[in-house]
Each structure stands twice: as structure tokens, then as C-alpha cells.
Amino acid sequence: MSSVNTFVIVGGGLAAGKAAEALREHGHTGPLLVISDEKEPPYVRPPLSKGYLLGKEERDSIFVHPEEWYAKNAVDLFLGTSVRAVDPLAKEVELDNGRRVSYGGLLLATGSSPRRLRIPGADLGNVLYLRRVGDSERLKAAFTAGARIVVIGDGWIGLETAAAARMAGAQVTVLGHGDLPLMKVLGREAAEVFAQLHTDHGVRLRSRVEVERITGAGGRADGVLLSDGTRLDADAVVVGVGITPNVQLAEQAGLEVRNGIVTDAHLRSSVPGIYAAGDVANAYHPFLDRHVRVEHWANALNQPETAARSMLGQDAVYDRLPYFYTDQYDLGMEYTGYTEADGYDRVVFRGDLDQRRFVAFWMSGRRVLAGMNVNVWDVVDPIRALVQSRTDIDDALLADPEVPLGSLLP
């Protein structure tokens, strides 16, 4: 096959599947390979902690495309295959079987991996993480009525798995370092909403704790020992303490790596002919005027369009605002925009926090940086428009549910 006309995608998630689709849609007619170390065709990860884990979605629903799509669109799937190395000078990738594949363009959509605990007992058999479809199936098997589940980590994955375990009838304890779950992400007022949500559903929240070890016998965990001497019984331990971008190939190939693979707004890496998308990409965002790496579904869904067009020599820029969502019990939430923990002045609320039906706005001065709608729907577009408009807005108008959000736009 012609190396100049061959495009290679490394990865097995949503970004890889959508990139293959976008390359075909935008006119790439040459050879197209997707190489993944997973045995499944590219699939979507949010259902693994949501609908699929809860048993509300069938296994077939997680895949980006039906398997026959790849043959129909002449996309070669190399599944259960690892890329051992990338040679940018030769423009080749080396597979784990020693085969070398030449490329004209290479997209790294290698995603991320869960951070592993570095404490005694962390390698016991029923210490569970969530990243791949098999992980979700192991969690589903562990989440049974009466099972004692200890979740280490009170971020999004920790809380979503806690909700799934409770809905299956398990007894659940969530352990966190901070004062409240999601405190660093949302700030105190919004974090209190999620803390109360889980408390109302019978989850035991333990804040400001340090885990000393996971206890067990016969290769299986049976409890978690805290630094204060408290021991919590456990039939399974779930670990959700963050993820790390999979940058090993990029580092070995000499790409600029800094909290992910550094790219420009076109998703081009520092090495010509190599691109990045999804969790692993630390991409320059023109609107935010900074590099941002977003570990959420929307980037994996939308960045491949830009990456594909860039690979084809078209002028494409990724400037969509970050977006993510969660579903826990009877709460649905969408978040649009971007701010860091120390990047805003205050949060303005519109609606009823006690009823968990509201919109929150993260403010810097009189400008909206981000918005989160909780059990309020069809407001993502006006929230996005408010952020992008950089309009000065009074808190009182934002807080008034009688004032349509669209009327606040210039």
C-alpha cells in the first residue's frame, strides 16, 4: 500500500472511530487503518459508568459503528494489537508483532488510563477500576444487593459508580480527600448539591481521609484501612482517583508532551504528519487563549472532525467550548464552558438548589465563564452563547428565572 496515501489511527475509543468516519466523509480514499490494543471495535466510554453499567443499555449500543461499517468503508481494524513505537523520520509505526506500517498521516487517539493506587493491597483481585468495557462488566457483577462497596475517590467516576452501586442495592461508602465531593471542580455551593444527592440515596460520604492499605486474604480485598485506624469492610473496592493521558508513544517519538500531547488549534502535534485528538490532546484553544486537555466525551466526539480535515490539508480549527454531562439517580446535569478552581470570582444560581433544579453560572467580574444546568433542559445553547459573547451581565438578571437567557445576549 502507498505510504503517502495511508492514514493510521492509533486508539480504540470514540475519537478513533469518529476520526475514521470523518476521514472518509471528507474525501480520503486511500488505505485507512485503526490500530487498537483492545479486542473490541472502537466504542464509547460514558455508558461504562452510566447506562451500560446500570443495565439500561445493551452491549451493542456502546460501539461507535456497527462492525460491518468498517468493511463497508474500507477501514482496516487491527484489534488486540499494540503499537510498540513510532518512527517519525521513516513515517512508520511498529506493531507488537514486529511488523512496520508506513503512514502519510498519523493520528494518536490513545486516550488515558486510570491512575493506580500505590498502597499495600492495591493489587488484590477485587480492587476495581473503570476504563474499558471489561471493567464495567466486572463492576456490574460486583454491584449486587447487600454488597459492601467502598469507592476510593469522589470525582465524577467515583460518584457515578457509587450511584450505580446504590441503585443495585449495594451498601456504599465514598472516600475523598477534600471537604466535599467535586469541591475542586465545582466549588462549595454546587458540590454540596451532589453531596446531599448521594447522602439522600443512602451513600456514606467520608471526607478528608487518607487510605493506608487495602486488607484482604486469598488474593481478594475484604476491607479498607484508613490512616486514623478505621477499617471499612468491603466485598469490592472501586478506585476512581483520576486518569493519566497515554503519552508513551508520543514521548518516545519526540513529540512535545506536557500534560498530554501538545497540539495547535488544528490538532497538529510538534512533529509534522502526526496529530492528536481526545483525552490525550493538550490542544491550544483559540477562544480560551490557552492549551486545554479535556477528559470528556464531547472532545472525543468533536475533535476528530478537525483532526481529519487537518490531516487532509484543509483549514480546520477546534474551538468548541468544553462540555460534559453526568446522570446520577434522578439528577441529570450538563456543564458548558471552562474555568479552573481559582479562575472565577463566584457562582450565581438560578432556580431551586434544594429541589436540584437550577442553572449555575461561574463568573469572572460580570462575565460568564461556564454554566451548569441541573434537571433544567434545552439551555446549553444559550449558556454557550453567553460564554462566547463575553457580555457583561448583572448577577440579578442571571439569577432571575423569569428572564430568558437568550434575552441577555447582545
Side-chain angles (χ1 to χ4, degrees):
M1 61 179 66
S2 167
S3 63
V4 175
N5 203 29
T6 298
F7 284 171
V8 173
I9 301 167
V10 181
L14 176 60
K18 295 302 287 187
E21 177 184 329
L23 282 166
R24 286 299 188 224
E25 285 186 349
H26 288 285
H28 178 61
T29 58
L32 179 54
L33 285 66
V34 176
I35 305 171
S36 171
D37 62 1
E38 300 196 55
K39 295 183 179 180
E40 309 286 349
Y43 61 87
V44 186
R45 299 192 192 276
L48 304 187
S49 63
K50 299 179 176 72
Y52 184 61
L53 179 58
L54 291 167
K56 295 180 179 179
E57 297 179 28
E58 297 298 323
R59 201 170 196 273
D60 287 350
S61 71
I62 70 174
F63 296 109
V64 181
H65 302 109
E67 196 159 359
E68 59 268 20
W69 181 92
Y70 296 94
K72 182 179 179 182
N73 288 275
V75 177
D76 292 319
L77 288 177
F78 286 46
L79 302 180
T81 304
S82 297
V83 175
R84 183 185 297 166
V86 174
D87 184 340
L89 294 179
K91 287 201 163 185
E92 293 178 337
V93 296
E94 181 184 351
L95 307 185
D96 52 9
N97 61 7
R99 176 181 174 183
R100 298 178 73 90
V101 177
S102 299
Y103 64 82
L106 171 65
L107 175 65
L108 297 178
T110 47
S112 53
S113 298
R115 290 196 187 106
R116 300 278 162 171
L117 286 182
R118 307 292 184 195
I119 60 173
D123 58 349
L124 291 168
N126 53 334
V127 176
L128 306 175
Y129 294 80
L130 178 58
R131 186 61 185 170
R132 300 189 171 197
V133 62
D135 299 331
S136 183
E137 289 164 353
R138 283 185 285 275
L139 289 174
K140 191 186 299 186
F143 293 170
T144 57
R148 298 163 300 179
I149 306 297
V150 176
V151 179
I152 301 175
D154 58 0
W156 294 115
I157 290 296
L159 294 188
E160 288 180 355
T161 54
R166 277 299 298 139
M167 293 176 75
Q171 303 172 37
V172 181
T173 301
V174 174
L175 308 178
H177 279 303
D179 290 341
L180 291 165
L182 304 172
M183 182 83 161
K184 287 185 178 180
V185 181
L186 300 179
R188 179 169 294 277
E189 300 99 320
E192 285 174 346
V193 172
F194 283 88
Q196 192 61 52
L197 170 71
H198 281 267
T199 300
D200 288 350
H201 283 85
V203 173
R204 185 184 181 194
L205 299 177
R206 294 288 301 266
S207 60
R208 298 183 296 279
V209 301
E210 294 288 337
V211 178
E212 185 169 301
R213 66 168 53 237
I214 297 172
T215 63
R220 292 184 61 80
D222 61 16
V224 175
L225 181 65
L226 305 183
S227 59
D228 65 2
T230 303
R231 183 182 177 280
L232 306 171
D233 292 332
D235 296 304
V237 177
V238 180
V239 181
V241 291
I243 59 176
T244 302
N246 295 326
V247 297
Q248 297 86 344
L249 283 176
E251 287 178 329
Q252 169 270 325
L255 278 63
E256 182 181 0
V257 171
R258 187 178 68 252
N259 182 32
I261 300 172
V262 176
T263 78
D264 62 13
H266 307 280
L267 301 181
R268 300 177 297 203
S269 79
S270 60
V271 172
I274 302 181
Y275 305 76
D279 281 7
V280 79
N282 186 8
Y284 178 74
H285 196 290
F287 178 80
L288 300 172
D289 192 24
R290 55 167 295 163
H291 281 81
V292 178
R293 188 175 68 84
V294 179
E295 301 170 349
H296 293 293
W297 160 87
N299 263 32
L301 175 69
N302 297 305
Q303 278 188 343
E305 173 85 7
T306 299
R309 291 181 58 195
S310 293
M311 293 173 77
L312 291 166
Q314 302 173 17
D315 185 18
V317 168
Y318 190 76
D319 58 3
R320 289 179 67 96
L321 286 176
Y323 166 93
F324 64 91
Y325 72 99
T326 190
D327 295 307
Q328 299 172 33
Y329 309 109
D330 56 355
L331 181 147
M333 179 277 276
E334 298 172 289
Y335 182 104
T336 307
Y338 180 84
T339 184
E340 294 186 316
D342 57 355
Y344 64 95
D345 304 330
R346 65 200 178 282
V347 182
V348 175
F349 292 92
R350 153 187 300 230
D352 192 329
L353 270 73
D354 292 337
Q355 294 297 316
R356 295 193 276 267
R357 192 182 306 276
F358 63 90
V359 183
F361 302 93
W362 280 259
M363 307 293 295
S364 177
R366 290 161 55 90
R367 294 185 178 180
V368 179
L369 302 178
M372 178 179 76
N373 48 299
V374 173
N375 290 339
V376 175
W377 306 112
D378 301 322
V379 293
V380 169
D381 287 344
I383 290 172
R384 181 183 296 117
L386 284 173
V387 174
Q388 292 174 325
S389 73
R390 295 192 169 105
T391 302
D392 286 355
I393 304 174
D394 289 334
D395 287 8
L397 294 175
L398 278 175
D400 187 349
E402 299 301 317
V403 178
L405 291 178
S407 71
L408 303 177
L409 293 167

